[in-house]
Amino acid sequence: MADILRETAKVLGVNVQYQVNEFHNTGVCAAIITGKDNENRSLVTKLGAAHCFTANFLDKPNVWELVEKAQYYYIGGFVFPISKDAIMKIAEHAVKNNKTLIMNLSATFLCKYFSNSDLGIMQYVDVLIGNEGEFLTFAEQSGFNTEDVEEIAEKAAALPMKGHRERIVFITHGKAPIVFATGGKVFRAEIEPIDRKKIVDTNGCGDAFMGGFLAQLVQNKPIEECIHCGNYAARTVLQSYGCSFPETPDYEWE
């Protein structure tokens, strides 16, 4: 499995650095898609070596060199239970060097790390993304005293942070408009609908959205274009089994 990951990344031109664990295999995940319209997804994971990641891997000269060269960092919440130290190391570097840290709530059971005032990760986060269910949990644990999505987005964006930038918060909810907030203002971005009959596999849809979104963000494109590209990537993945794309994407921005 590790060889497959390495070779696939190489073919796609992605520079991936793996921490190799001699005692555990590469993690795997099985997905079962059910339902009349393939709307239900069940996942069973075995984290394997991924569960053994350590922050000292970042101290390797060839790895930290890449960290220093990067201007944007994207970290999913799933890293928290494994290595909070690794996240904080990247976060401290980002704020010290005026770089951008993007984080994903990833799951409701991980929201406790983002709302933990002792850990204080939110003061480093420039861009926070999650779905409605995750943000409802985050709001409850943060004492926002509201279940209104727009209010939650505004309050999350206004949380104290280091540095001089204003945080942007994005809340997704399937085919419903994306709610995002920054600078005391709340906006909505419509989602281009897809025929349910075309939905084949929802697995990887959220990751695809993030990939499309980040591809534009790192090019300093407008937020609306970032969201549009994220939606395009998500719609494309929905229409085939596995997280796959056509050889020649037909993405366009008006």
Side-chain angles (χ1 to χ4, degrees):
M1 188 62 70
D3 291 338
I4 294 174
L5 291 174
R6 283 196 187 94
E7 288 305 314
T8 302
K10 183 178 180 181
V11 169
L12 295 175
V14 180
N15 182 359
V16 180
Q17 301 295 317
Y18 294 114
Q19 183 179 31
V20 178
N21 188 293
E22 298 179 1
F23 306 102
H24 298 277
N25 292 328
T26 300
V28 293
C29 176
I32 300 177
I33 311 300
T34 60
K36 182 180 178 181
D37 297 311
N38 296 318
E39 72 276 18
N40 300 319
R41 178 182 61 166
S42 299
L43 302 176
V44 178
T45 62
K46 184 177 181 181
L47 294 178
H51 195 64
C52 304
F53 182 81
T54 56
N56 60 13
F57 176 69
L58 297 174
D59 295 328
K60 295 180 63 175
N62 63 310
V63 174
W64 191 249
E65 180 183 5
L66 296 175
V67 173
E68 290 184 320
K69 288 181 178 179
Q71 298 299 311
Y72 294 82
Y73 306 95
Y74 172 67
I75 305 176
F78 288 110
V79 182
F80 270 119
I82 299 168
S83 182
K84 293 190 291 290
D85 291 342
I87 294 177
M88 298 309 297
K89 187 176 181 68
I90 295 294
E92 291 281 3
H93 172 80
V95 73
K96 182 179 179 180
N97 293 277
N98 198 32
K99 297 179 179 181
T100 302
L101 176 63
I102 306 107
M103 293 202 68
N104 195 320
L105 292 177
S106 297
T108 54
F109 75 91
L110 296 168
C111 292
K112 62 184 179 182
Y113 294 101
F114 291 90
S115 60
N116 186 328
S117 58
D118 292 331
L119 183 61
I121 186 61
M122 282 302 298
Q123 62 187 321
Y124 299 94
V125 180
D126 296 291
V127 181
L128 183 65
I129 298 179
N131 63 38
E132 184 174 8
E134 292 159 357
F135 266 101
L136 286 172
T137 300
F138 174 73
E140 180 181 4
Q141 295 175 345
S142 300
F144 287 176
N145 297 316
T146 181
E147 293 185 353
D148 181 274
V149 175
E150 292 193 2
E151 286 186 36
I152 291 173
E154 185 176 5
K155 288 188 175 185
L159 289 172
M161 65 181 300
K162 295 186 177 183
H164 304 291
R165 286 189 292 252
E166 292 183 332
R167 180 184 297 111
I168 308 177
V169 169
F170 296 87
I171 303 179
T172 65
H173 187 198
K175 61 183 179 181
I178 291 177
V179 173
F180 64 101
T182 186
K185 297 181 180 180
V186 180
F187 308 88
R188 284 180 174 265
E190 296 295 327
I191 300 297
E192 184 177 337
I194 182 173
D195 187 340
R196 292 187 66 86
K197 294 180 180 178
K198 293 183 178 181
I199 298 177
V200 175
D201 183 359
T202 58
N203 202 39
C205 180
D207 294 327
F209 174 86
M210 285 307 312
F213 179 92
L214 294 173
Q216 305 307 309
L217 183 69
V218 299
Q219 298 180 71
N220 294 314
K221 296 296 179 65
I223 293 301
E224 293 77 11
E225 187 170 354
C226 296
I227 293 174
H228 180 77
C229 188
N231 290 334
Y232 162 82
R235 288 198 313 274
T236 302
V237 165
L238 281 172
Q239 298 178 64
S240 60
Y241 286 107
C243 192
S244 58
F245 291 85
E247 279 193 32
T248 306
D250 56 358
Y251 170 74
E252 292 182 353
W253 171 246
E254 300 174 359

